[in-house]
Amino acid sequence: MGKVFKFHNDLDTDQIIASQYLLLPDVEEMKVHAFESLDPEFPQKVKPGDFVVGGENFGCGSSREQAPSVLKALGVQAVVAKSFARIFYRNAINIGLPVIVCKDLPDAVKSGDDMELSLTEGIATAGGRDFSCTKLPEYMQKILSQGGLIASLNREGA
C-alpha cells in the first residue's frame, strides 16, 4: 500500500529532474530536486512504496535516464500512467522501476489516495475499486525483480 502522487498529461523529463541538476555527481544528490518545478516538497513527502500516477505521454522529452532513476532512488514503487513516452518506459525498465499502463486509474484517483498494485496480476486497487492494468510479461517482471536490465544480465552471466 502506498500513496498516490498524481501529475498531468505530457509530463516532461525536465519536469521530473531539471537539466541543471544533471551536473550533480550522482542520483542521490539529484533526487532532492525531483519534480521541483511542480511540487518542490515532493522529495520530502514521497515515501518508499508510494506511486507516481500520470496521464498520457508520461516522461516525454529527453532521453535522460536520470528521470526514472531519481524516482527509483526516492523509493517510488511504480509509475502508473495512461501511456508513456517510449524512451522513458524503456529507461525505467532498464533501471528496475516498474512502469504500468492503466487507462482508467489516472482519472479516478487524486494525490494522497491509497493504492495497491499487483504486477503479477496486472491489477491496481484505489478508492475501493480495482483497475485493470497492462500485465508485464514474465521476462520483464524478472528484469524488474532483479533490479534492472544490467543486474539481470549480470546474474545470468551474460
Side-chain angles (χ1 to χ4, degrees):
M1 177 86 62
K3 295 280 183 203
V4 167
F5 289 85
K6 185 175 172 181
F7 295 94
H8 55 80
N9 289 338
D10 300 311
L11 187 116
D12 191 286
T13 53
D14 202 47
Q15 293 172 310
I16 299 171
I17 185 70
S19 60
Q20 69 260 31
Y21 300 119
L22 301 180
L23 300 174
L24 294 173
D26 58 35
V27 73
E28 288 301 308
E29 290 188 42
M30 288 179 216
K31 74 182 184 183
V32 299
H33 301 285
F35 291 115
E36 192 169 81
S37 66
L38 300 174
D39 182 358
E41 291 159 14
F42 175 81
Q44 291 79 39
K45 294 188 295 188
V46 70
K47 303 288 180 245
D50 286 343
F51 298 93
V52 168
V53 173
E56 298 282 351
N57 201 26
F58 188 97
C60 60
S62 75
S63 61
R64 65 182 65 149
E65 190 175 269
Q66 294 91 339
S69 294
V70 296
L71 299 179
K72 183 177 180 187
L74 286 166
V76 169
Q77 184 177 156
V79 179
V80 179
K82 289 183 180 184
S83 67
F84 291 90
R86 184 181 305 185
I87 192 70
F88 180 90
Y89 187 89
R90 184 165 193 144
N91 282 339
I93 297 295
N94 286 347
I95 61 120
L97 176 68
V99 281
I100 307 298
V101 174
C102 196
K103 296 286 186 187
D104 297 325
L105 181 131
D107 291 332
V109 299
K110 62 185 181 317
S111 286
D113 286 353
D114 288 326
M115 185 171 125
E116 288 185 79
L117 176 67
S118 170
L119 292 177
T120 56
E121 300 299 320
I123 305 245
T125 304
R129 291 179 53 198
D130 288 342
F131 298 89
S132 180
C133 304
T134 300
K135 185 177 170 185
L136 295 177
E138 190 174 315
Y139 75 93
M140 286 177 88
Q141 290 183 40
K142 183 177 179 185
I143 289 170
L144 290 169
S145 71
Q146 292 178 334
L149 183 61
I150 299 302
S152 178
L153 292 172
N154 286 338
R155 286 188 184 168
E156 293 178 14

